[in-house]
Amino acid sequence: MLKPQLHQTSQPTKTLIPWSTTNSFTSGEILASFPINILSKNLRQKHKKKNFRVHYYAANNTKAVLTSTEKSSGVKAVVTVQKTVEGTNLGLSRGLDDIGDLLGKTLVLWIVAAELDPKTGIEKPSIKTFAHRGRDVDGDTHYEADFVIPEAFGEVGAILVENEHHKEMYVKNIVIDGFPHGMVHITCNSWVHSKFDNPEKRIFFTNKSYLPSQTPSAIKRLRERELVIMRGDGFGERKQFERVYDYDVYNDIGDPDASDDAKRRVIGGKELPYPRRCRTGRPRSKKDPLSESRSAFVYVPRDEAFSEVKSLTFSGNTLYSVLHAVVPALESVAIDPDVGFPHFPAIDSLFNVGVRLPPLNDKSTMLNIIPRLIKAISDTQKDVLLFETPELLQRDKFSWFNDVEFARQTLAGLNPCSIRLVTEWPLKSKLDPEIYGPPESAITKELIEQEIGGLMTVEEAVEQKKLFILDYHDLLLPYVNKVNELKGRVVYGSRTLFFLTPDGTLRPLAIELTRPPVYDKPQWKQVYCPTWHATGSWLWKLAKAHVLAQDSGYHQLVSHWLRTHCATEPYIIATNRQLSAMHPIYRLLHPHFRYTMEINALAREALINANGIIESSFFPGKYAVELSSVAYGLEWRFDRQALPEDLISRGMAVKDSDAPYGLKLTIEDYPFANDGLVLWDTLKQWVTDYVNHYYTETELIESDTELQTWWTEIKDVGHGDKKDEPWWPELNTPDDLIGIITTIIWVTSGHHAAVNFGQYSYAGYFPNRPTTARAKMPTEDPTDEEWESFLKRPGDALLKCFPSQMQATKVMAILDVLSNHSPDEEYLGEKIEPYWAENPVINAAFEIFSGRLKELEGIIDGRNADSNLMNRNGAGVMPYELLKPFSGPGVTGKGVPYSISI
């Protein structure tokens, strides 16, 4: 790039400011020893009312020279840098940086013109200067720079930043003042690496958004260059300061180098399809070349990591502390990790006595980070793990025992995404009968008609849409024998049938549990029903415990992990690789992607990894992620991640142009669907207003090369194992784009909130949602001794079936953290993004969006107060608030953040 040198034509040429891009000055060294702001101030005064002309010299040390035929003006740039905790540390590099700050030589800026020179057709010279450290404002540090800008420079297109500190710095924004067209805002919110780590300058564009075809001529090259940087070269191990986005399979769940027991299959590919994760480039395992080795550092692109504020206040440190301090402390005090609770009062003691912990490292920090969990007994100063009483238990201690609550939670609980309409009778498996046994269900027509008291025939119930099912039969049956070989694990294929009563609530009718043939034993299946008979009543309770364990595992592995965290990561990668940071769709999606890759990396490290929390405490054991892969292959479709299509596919709604939101619900009082559809419609209207502003013609969609490549990469690479599926939406029109974007942001906001933030409220008292079953049904091939023991002490059979003390307390500690809102949580519609605020049309659309979200708060409150809606109102019933948009910090059971940030 040519660089201007300033000189006065009335005098011999004299260098006023050295513009060399090298780190040392090649001329003007005496002047360079003065603070740069003084030089710039003198320049402004000296040339304030004179005309200058700019000459260009194509030499290595090209400089801008002002001549007295063209005007110039002085502008000031203020760079806001967030103070870091590391920045307060003492050390050689810190001292050198402080000295550099005093000399004004640690931050270099280049202002880049938006348009090419109309006379030459080439880029105008960028204007360079050092920024000097100014005052601290509200905890941030301002770096200030003064520029002399030729009048013909035009509008600013971008600014280049070089960080000459030895440490990275977090730049929040840059404001340039003094241009005749007004103040220029550049929102950064990004880590800027040290030039000693990477000599590449950082590129930041102004807040004005551009489609590729509308990009100002002089910054097209920078737009393309930035995307090249973000894509990387696909080689080598990624470094912490890098911002490279690339794809890989899930080959880092296992740790074969640690032990043979920790080896896991690679997830992702033809055999086990799965979305892709971010590539880290870590070396391959020594024992298994298909697997990636594990290390303490898990790369995510630098700007995807938690901000220091977020890490210190909550999300990063809290979850990390529970995983790496609390869980090991629990394990160290467990005499037998497989022992269950001896009686129900022992379960209750978790909320009033707690679990005594050994001395904790950095005790004061732990007490501050996890005040809800870690308590100190004042008289002994011993630390205990003491759980808050979940809201469900506060409202009704015995609700978990209740069939009404069991059924209600399929519509208004933690996993409202599995219940579906029965559309065919008789029920029949689609699995190979040669392997899994007879496909016919043991739930007969006669049994169902008896359970519904002869109100109607089964055929009439199906026709009138009265029968609903939780069906985990075909998904789980292939894993039954494998899981049952694991110590302390029992699973069945299950079907649970419900009847829709005239008052709009569901009544459970029957549970079928099935074990496929194993060794010399034939298929075993049995049906359990609610009954007044003592033995049958206890068998029903045990059957419910098995179903709930399966539903808990499905919820965590599929409804939660797969459908939100896992499926979203490819969207984030593709967005950063293919959409420029100045693309309006990038800026629309960006708030919905914050921190997701970091939390996913932490999950791979300690939650879904081999022998991690999920494997050790949920029913599939070491087959957990593999099972979610099977569910992905069988069930996941992008089009059905949209709430309306999800409801229609499960038979929970039908299209009806006369109904609100164009859908008629099969169960009118379905809280997740009722509230979700209002939120979906609100999101869709906001996206519609936004998209239609930038894409005024269909041709703009088709000609948007970045957008088309983005969508192709999501389908062909990010979700490449399903690239040939016919259900992928086309991207040819603004309406196509609106549907795609609304689906993505619904998944990251509404759907995730519905399945995440109620975890402690519903599952904190684990008998309501056990995560695993440790004992078989008493009726499955019992010995005389086993049957006699069950008849004498059926309550003990239930306790033996529930998770062990170690499993339960580990999960409870994790769920408490996962249900917690960070103090700096960013809720939908609460705060406008700077890019949106600068555009009057988008600003107005956001105000409408925010207002509708506030209206939704009132709508939900009104519904929860309506006594006719018995799935969300009644004695001891928890109101359904999971889709209320706003919340305070903590475990509140409400609040819809923009992104999957925990």
Side-chain angles (χ1 to χ4, degrees):
M1 185 183 293
L2 297 177
K3 301 173 182 65
Q5 164 130 355
L6 308 176
H7 74 84
Q8 290 180 304
T9 55
S10 58
Q11 301 177 14
T13 300
K14 183 183 297 184
T15 300
L16 298 177
I17 299 180
W19 295 105
S20 170
T21 58
T22 59
N23 293 326
S24 60
F25 292 105
T26 57
S27 60
E29 292 179 8
I30 297 177
L31 289 178
S33 64
F34 290 93
I36 195 71
N37 60 321
I38 296 175
L39 293 175
S40 300
K41 182 177 179 181
N42 290 341
L43 272 174
R44 291 201 309 274
Q45 292 174 347
K46 193 168 186 177
H47 301 300
K48 191 172 183 181
K49 293 185 179 180
K50 293 183 179 181
N51 294 332
F52 297 92
R53 182 170 68 250
V54 181
H55 293 302
Y56 301 97
Y57 303 96
N60 291 334
N61 196 27
T62 307
K63 299 176 177 64
V65 183
L66 283 179
T67 60
S68 58
T69 59
E70 184 178 340
K71 293 181 179 179
S72 68
S73 60
V75 302
K76 182 174 184 177
V78 177
V79 183
T80 301
V81 175
Q82 181 175 287
K83 278 191 173 181
T84 65
V85 175
E86 278 193 350
T88 63
N89 294 340
L90 297 177
L92 178 60
S93 63
R94 180 67 261 168
L96 292 173
D97 290 344
D98 287 342
I99 293 171
D101 280 341
L102 290 174
L103 296 177
K105 295 174 62 176
T106 49
L107 199 61
V108 192
L109 308 179
W110 288 260
I111 293 181
V112 181
E115 300 292 351
L116 298 173
D117 189 316
K119 296 179 180 178
T120 65
I122 62 175
E123 294 176 4
K124 299 173 185 176
S126 57
I127 310 299
K128 170 192 172 183
T129 193
F130 279 98
H132 68 277
R133 182 170 178 168
R135 57 199 180 98
D136 291 347
V137 179
D138 296 330
D140 297 323
T141 299
H142 284 183
Y143 284 78
E144 300 174 358
D146 292 295
F147 294 87
V148 177
I149 307 294
E151 187 177 56
F153 188 81
E155 292 191 9
V156 176
I159 194 162
L160 308 183
V161 179
E162 182 177 78
N163 172 19
E164 301 204 355
H165 286 90
H166 289 76
K167 292 180 179 290
E168 64 183 353
M169 58 171 54
Y170 188 83
V171 178
K172 298 174 75 172
N173 59 66
I174 302 171
V175 178
I176 307 174
D177 191 15
F179 281 98
H181 47 269
M183 198 175 289
V184 178
H185 293 271
I186 299 174
T187 301
C188 306
N189 289 328
S190 178
W191 290 98
V192 176
H193 56 261
S194 164
K195 76 168 186 179
F196 301 102
D197 289 328
N198 180 4
E200 187 88 36
K201 300 175 182 64
R202 281 300 307 277
I203 303 168
F204 293 109
F205 300 106
T206 65
N207 284 2
K208 189 172 181 179
S209 300
Y210 297 98
L211 300 179
S213 61
Q214 300 166 347
T215 310
S217 56
I219 55 174
K220 287 182 178 179
R221 181 181 61 82
L222 289 180
R223 181 174 186 145
E224 294 167 0
R225 175 60 186 160
E226 178 74 350
L227 288 174
V228 169
I229 293 170
M230 304 292 268
R231 293 174 194 139
D233 59 9
F235 295 98
E237 184 172 359
R238 298 268 67 90
K239 299 178 178 62
Q240 184 175 2
F241 63 82
E242 292 181 314
R243 298 182 304 124
V244 174
Y245 294 77
D246 205 353
Y247 300 94
D248 207 344
V249 293
Y250 280 71
N251 59 0
D252 64 340
I253 301 302
D255 189 6
D257 290 340
S259 69
D260 292 340
D261 179 58
K263 183 177 180 179
R264 295 292 180 269
R265 299 175 69 184
V266 173
I267 309 296
K270 185 175 181 180
E271 188 176 355
L272 289 172
Y274 219 48
R276 297 301 188 258
R277 64 161 175 102
C278 180
R279 178 186 177 276
T280 67
R282 289 185 294 189
R284 295 298 173 127
S285 161
K286 296 177 182 177
K287 291 186 177 180
D288 177 16
L290 295 178
S291 295
E292 186 175 275
S293 63
R294 295 175 66 83
S295 60
F297 167 67
V298 183
Y299 169 80
V300 295
R302 188 64 185 98
D303 289 336
E304 302 297 336
F306 288 144
S307 68
E308 284 196 324
V309 172
K310 191 174 186 68
S311 294
L312 291 172
T313 54
F314 169 66
S315 300
N317 271 0
T318 307
L319 184 54
Y320 188 90
S321 297
V322 170
L323 291 171
H324 294 84
V326 176
V327 169
L330 277 171
E331 292 171 342
S332 71
V333 298
I335 299 174
D336 181 356
D338 299 319
V339 70
F341 287 88
H343 40 67
F344 281 95
I347 299 174
D348 295 339
S349 71
L350 295 172
F351 307 104
N352 50 52
V353 177
V355 180
R356 182 70 61 85
L357 297 175
L360 296 169
N361 295 327
D362 199 5
K363 173 179 173 179
S364 60
T365 300
M366 292 288 290
L367 291 172
N368 290 331
I369 289 177
I370 325 176
R372 274 180 56 89
L373 288 177
I374 306 298
K375 311 288 184 182
I377 302 176
S378 57
D379 56 345
T380 63
Q381 291 301 302
K382 298 291 185 181
D383 297 326
V384 297
L385 188 68
L386 184 63
F387 294 97
E388 299 283 339
T389 304
E391 185 179 357
L392 182 78
L393 198 61
Q394 290 180 18
R395 288 176 175 269
D396 184 352
K397 185 176 181 178
F398 303 104
S399 62
W400 69 276
F401 224 54
N402 193 322
D403 285 350
V404 172
E405 183 65 15
F406 170 60
R408 189 190 75 84
Q409 287 185 29
T410 65
L411 301 172
L414 197 52
N415 184 33
C417 313
S418 290
I419 189 76
R420 61 177 57 244
L421 179 70
V422 174
T423 57
E424 296 179 351
W425 192 269
L427 303 174
K428 191 173 182 180
S429 172
K430 296 178 181 177
L431 298 174
D432 186 350
E434 294 294 323
I435 300 174
Y436 300 104
E440 294 80 14
S441 171
I443 302 177
T444 63
K445 167 183 171 70
E446 293 75 21
L447 184 148
I448 294 304
E449 290 177 353
Q450 178 182 332
E451 286 298 314
I452 60 179
L455 288 175
M456 60 185 72
T457 66
V458 167
E459 292 78 10
E460 289 171 335
V462 171
E463 183 182 353
Q464 296 177 31
K465 300 183 178 180
K466 297 293 185 182
L467 289 183
F468 296 83
I469 190 170
L470 281 181
D471 191 351
Y472 297 129
H473 183 277
D474 284 11
L475 176 65
L476 297 184
L477 207 60
Y479 279 86
V480 167
N481 290 335
K482 291 193 287 188
V483 171
N484 288 351
E485 290 177 353
L486 303 176
K487 182 181 179 182
R489 305 293 170 103
V490 177
V491 68
Y492 300 99
S494 73
R495 297 183 179 103
T496 306
L497 212 59
F498 301 87
F499 179 73
L500 181 61
T501 65
D503 61 15
T505 60
L506 291 176
R507 182 164 74 83
L509 301 177
I511 292 173
E512 177 187 31
L513 300 179
T514 304
R515 183 204 67 205
V518 55
Y519 304 120
D520 59 344
K521 295 180 180 180
Q523 182 194 70
W524 175 90
K525 65 177 66 169
Q526 193 161 352
V527 178
Y528 305 89
C529 297
T531 177
W532 294 104
H533 184 271
T535 302
S537 177
W538 275 104
L539 289 172
W540 170 251
K541 291 178 177 64
L542 284 161
K544 282 199 301 181
H546 277 275
V547 168
L548 286 167
Q550 294 170 18
D551 193 61
S552 293
Y554 184 91
H555 159 262
Q556 203 64 263
L557 290 166
V558 181
S559 300
H560 185 194
W561 165 254
L562 172 64
R563 290 184 63 178
T564 64
H565 291 259
C566 185
T568 295
E569 188 146 340
Y571 310 149
I572 303 173
I573 298 172
T575 299
N576 284 276
R577 285 169 57 86
Q578 302 300 342
L579 296 183
S580 166
M582 67 168 66
H583 198 293
I585 299 304
Y586 176 94
R587 287 173 168 173
L588 176 59
L589 288 172
H590 185 255
H592 297 282
F593 293 157
R594 287 180 182 134
Y595 308 131
T596 301
M597 292 181 75
E598 171 85 344
I599 202 69
N600 286 2
L602 189 54
R604 299 199 313 273
E605 181 188 1
L607 287 174
I608 64 170
N609 63 305
N611 302 316
I613 298 295
I614 299 297
E615 285 195 4
S616 65
S617 302
F618 284 76
F619 81 85
K622 68 179 184 178
Y623 302 105
V625 178
E626 185 178 319
L627 182 63
S628 75
S629 166
V630 173
Y632 176 74
L634 292 173
E635 302 175 5
W636 191 90
R637 295 175 45 156
F638 180 86
D639 58 335
R640 290 182 180 173
Q641 303 314 295
L643 178 61
E645 295 305 317
D646 169 49
L647 296 172
I648 292 169
S649 71
R650 292 188 283 119
M652 303 303 291
V654 294
K655 291 183 178 180
D656 184 346
S657 58
D658 295 327
Y661 315 111
L663 289 183
K664 179 176 175 58
L665 295 178
T666 311
I667 300 176
E668 292 183 8
D669 182 15
Y670 184 3
F672 165 70
N674 294 127
D675 298 353
L677 285 172
V678 183
L679 180 56
W680 169 272
D681 188 69
T682 301
L683 292 169
K684 187 174 182 180
Q685 187 58 58
W686 155 241
V687 174
T688 299
D689 293 340
Y690 190 100
V691 167
N692 286 340
H693 175 67
Y694 288 101
Y695 295 94
T696 54
E697 300 174 1
T698 297
E699 291 73 20
L700 291 173
I701 294 284
E702 297 172 345
S703 64
D704 189 332
T705 53
E706 288 183 7
L707 190 71
Q708 293 297 332
T709 307
W710 167 78
W711 183 233
T712 298
E713 185 168 290
I714 286 174
K715 296 182 295 180
D716 291 358
V717 185
H719 284 273
D721 296 334
K722 287 180 172 279
K723 65 179 180 180
D724 297 323
E725 297 286 356
W727 38 254
W728 284 105
E730 297 291 333
L731 181 50
N732 298 320
T733 69
D735 284 345
D736 294 339
L737 180 59
I738 289 165
I740 290 168
I741 298 298
T742 306
T743 298
I744 291 174
I745 68 175
W746 158 256
V747 167
T748 63
S749 56
H751 180 90
H752 180 257
V755 299
N756 183 75
F757 292 106
Q759 289 190 89
Y760 192 75
S761 298
Y762 282 103
Y765 185 68
F766 71 86
N768 184 63
R769 290 193 67 80
T771 56
T772 190
R774 298 186 302 130
K776 66 183 179 67
M777 289 296 294
T779 51
E780 184 197 348
D781 305 328
T783 64
D784 291 342
E785 184 180 355
E786 288 172 340
W787 184 249
E788 189 66 25
S789 175
F790 165 67
L791 291 178
K792 285 184 177 179
R793 298 183 66 86
D796 286 355
L798 187 57
L799 288 167
K800 290 176 182 177
C801 186
F802 280 157
S804 69
Q805 294 186 41
M806 178 56 60
Q807 289 171 326
T809 49
K810 284 198 298 187
V811 170
M812 290 167 67
I814 293 298
L815 295 186
D816 183 274
V817 176
L818 296 182
S819 304
N820 211 318
H821 284 296
S822 168
D824 67 340
E825 192 76 88
E826 297 167 346
Y827 299 100
L828 277 179
E830 188 175 44
K831 183 179 178 183
I832 192 168
E833 293 291 300
Y835 320 106
W836 307 340
E838 288 195 22
N839 185 305
V841 175
I842 302 302
N843 188 28
F846 181 85
E847 290 299 318
I848 295 172
F849 173 56
S850 181
R852 290 193 66 187
L853 291 169
K854 292 180 175 67
E855 290 177 7
L856 178 55
E857 293 260 318
I859 290 171
I860 292 175
D861 287 339
R863 288 171 173 173
N864 287 329
D866 188 345
S867 60
N868 293 315
L869 302 178
M870 287 180 277
N871 290 319
R872 60 197 305 159
N873 179 286
V877 173
M878 278 179 54
Y880 190 76
E881 297 185 319
L882 289 172
L883 291 174
K884 288 190 74 171
F886 308 109
S887 172
V891 179
T892 63
K894 58 185 175 182
V896 183
Y898 276 101
S899 65
I900 305 164
S901 57
I902 186 61

Coordinates of all heavy atoms in Angstrom, one line a residue, residues 282-305:
R282 N -4.6 -30.9 18.2 CA -3.7 -31.5 19.1 C -3.2 -32.8 18.5 O -3.8 -33.4 17.6 CB -4.5 -31.8 20.4 CG -4.8 -30.6 21.2 CD -5.4 -30.9 22.6 NE -6.8 -31.5 22.4 CZ -7.6 -31.7 23.4 NH1 -7.2 -31.4 24.7 NH2 -8.8 -32.2 23.2
P283 N -2.0 -33.3 18.9 CA -1.5 -34.5 18.4 C -2.4 -35.7 18.6 O -3.2 -35.7 19.5 CB -0.2 -34.7 19.2 CG 0.1 -33.4 19.7 CD -1.2 -32.7 20.0
R284 N -2.2 -36.8 17.8 CA -2.9 -38.0 17.9 C -2.5 -38.8 19.1 O -1.3 -38.7 19.6 CB -2.8 -38.8 16.7 CG -3.4 -38.2 15.4 CD -4.9 -38.0 15.6 NE -5.5 -37.2 14.5 CZ -6.5 -37.7 13.8 NH1 -7.1 -38.8 14.1 NH2 -7.1 -36.9 12.8
S285 N -3.4 -39.6 19.6 CA -3.1 -40.5 20.8 C -2.0 -41.5 20.4 O -2.0 -41.9 19.2 CB -4.4 -41.2 21.2 OG -4.1 -42.3 22.0
K286 N -1.2 -41.8 21.3 CA -0.1 -42.8 21.0 C -0.7 -44.2 20.9 O -0.3 -45.0 20.1 CB 0.9 -42.8 22.1 CG 1.7 -41.5 22.2 CD 2.6 -41.5 23.4 CE 3.4 -40.2 23.5 NZ 4.3 -40.1 24.7
K287 N -1.8 -44.5 21.7 CA -2.3 -45.9 21.6 C -3.4 -46.0 20.6 O -3.7 -47.1 20.2 CB -2.9 -46.2 23.0 CG -1.9 -46.4 24.1 CD -2.5 -46.9 25.4 CE -1.5 -47.1 26.5 NZ -2.1 -47.6 27.7
D288 N -4.0 -44.9 20.2 CA -5.1 -45.0 19.2 C -5.0 -43.8 18.2 O -5.4 -42.7 18.5 CB -6.5 -44.9 19.9 CG -7.6 -44.9 18.9 OD1 -7.4 -45.3 17.7 OD2 -8.8 -44.5 19.3
P289 N -4.4 -44.1 17.0 CA -4.2 -43.0 16.1 C -5.4 -42.3 15.6 O -5.3 -41.3 14.9 CB -3.4 -43.7 15.0 CG -3.7 -45.2 15.1 CD -3.9 -45.4 16.6
L290 N -6.6 -42.9 15.8 CA -7.8 -42.3 15.4 C -8.3 -41.2 16.3 O -9.1 -40.4 16.0 CB -8.9 -43.3 15.2 CG -8.7 -44.4 14.1 CD1 -9.9 -45.4 14.1 CD2 -8.6 -43.7 12.7
S291 N -7.7 -41.3 17.6 CA -8.2 -40.3 18.6 C -7.2 -39.2 18.8 O -6.0 -39.4 18.5 CB -8.3 -41.1 19.9 OG -9.4 -42.0 19.9
E292 N -7.7 -38.1 19.2 CA -6.8 -36.9 19.5 C -6.4 -37.0 21.0 O -7.1 -37.4 21.9 CB -7.6 -35.6 19.3 CG -6.9 -34.4 19.5 CD -7.7 -33.1 19.2 OE1 -7.8 -32.8 18.0 OE2 -8.3 -32.6 20.1
S293 N -5.1 -36.7 21.2 CA -4.6 -36.7 22.6 C -5.3 -35.6 23.4 O -5.7 -34.6 22.9 CB -3.1 -36.6 22.7 OG -2.7 -35.3 22.1
R294 N -5.3 -35.8 24.7 CA -6.0 -34.8 25.6 C -4.9 -34.0 26.3 O -3.8 -34.4 26.5 CB -6.9 -35.5 26.6 CG -8.1 -36.1 25.9 CD -8.9 -36.9 26.9 NE -9.6 -36.0 27.9 CZ -10.7 -35.4 27.7 NH1 -11.3 -35.5 26.5 NH2 -11.3 -34.6 28.6
S295 N -5.2 -32.8 26.6 CA -4.3 -31.9 27.3 C -5.1 -30.9 28.2 O -6.3 -30.8 28.1 CB -3.4 -31.1 26.3 OG -4.3 -30.3 25.5
A296 N -4.3 -30.2 29.1 CA -5.0 -29.3 30.0 C -5.6 -28.1 29.2 O -6.6 -27.6 29.6 CB -4.0 -28.8 31.0
F297 N -5.0 -27.7 28.1 CA -5.5 -26.6 27.3 C -6.3 -27.2 26.1 O -5.9 -28.0 25.4 CB -4.4 -25.8 26.8 CG -4.8 -24.8 25.7 CD1 -5.6 -23.7 26.0 CD2 -4.3 -25.0 24.4 CE1 -6.0 -22.8 25.0 CE2 -4.7 -24.1 23.4 CZ -5.5 -23.0 23.7
V298 N -7.6 -26.7 26.0 CA -8.4 -27.1 24.9 C -8.7 -25.8 24.1 O -9.3 -24.9 24.6 CB -9.8 -27.7 25.4 CG1 -10.6 -28.1 24.2 CG2 -9.5 -28.8 26.3
Y299 N -8.2 -25.8 22.9 CA -8.3 -24.6 22.0 C -9.7 -24.3 21.6 O -10.5 -25.2 21.2 CB -7.5 -24.8 20.8 CG -7.7 -23.7 19.7 CD1 -7.1 -22.4 19.8 CD2 -8.6 -23.9 18.6 CE1 -7.4 -21.4 18.9 CE2 -8.9 -22.9 17.7 CZ -8.3 -21.7 17.8 OH -8.5 -20.7 16.9
V300 N -10.1 -23.0 21.8 CA -11.3 -22.4 21.1 C -10.8 -21.1 20.5 O -9.8 -20.5 21.1 CB -12.5 -22.2 22.0 CG1 -13.0 -23.5 22.5 CG2 -12.1 -21.3 23.2
P301 N -11.3 -20.7 19.4 CA -10.9 -19.4 18.9 C -11.0 -18.3 20.0 O -11.9 -18.3 20.8 CB -11.9 -19.1 17.8 CG -12.3 -20.5 17.3 CD -12.3 -21.3 18.5
R302 N -10.0 -17.4 20.0 CA -9.8 -16.6 21.2 C -11.0 -15.8 21.6 O -11.3 -15.7 22.8 CB -8.6 -15.6 20.9 CG -8.2 -14.8 22.1 CD -7.6 -15.7 23.2 NE -7.3 -15.0 24.4 CZ -8.1 -15.0 25.5 NH1 -9.3 -15.6 25.4 NH2 -7.8 -14.4 26.6
D303 N -11.8 -15.3 20.7 CA -12.9 -14.5 21.0 C -14.1 -15.3 21.5 O -15.1 -14.8 21.9 CB -13.3 -13.6 19.9 CG -12.3 -12.4 19.7 OD1 -11.6 -12.1 20.6 OD2 -12.2 -11.9 18.6
E304 N -14.0 -16.6 21.4 CA -15.1 -17.5 21.8 C -15.0 -17.8 23.3 O -15.9 -18.4 23.9 CB -15.1 -18.8 21.0 CG -15.3 -18.6 19.5 CD -16.6 -18.0 19.1 OE1 -17.5 -18.1 19.9 OE2 -16.6 -17.4 18.1
A305 N -13.8 -17.6 23.9 CA -13.6 -17.9 25.3 C -14.3 -16.9 26.2 O -14.7 -15.8 25.8 CB -12.1 -17.8 25.6

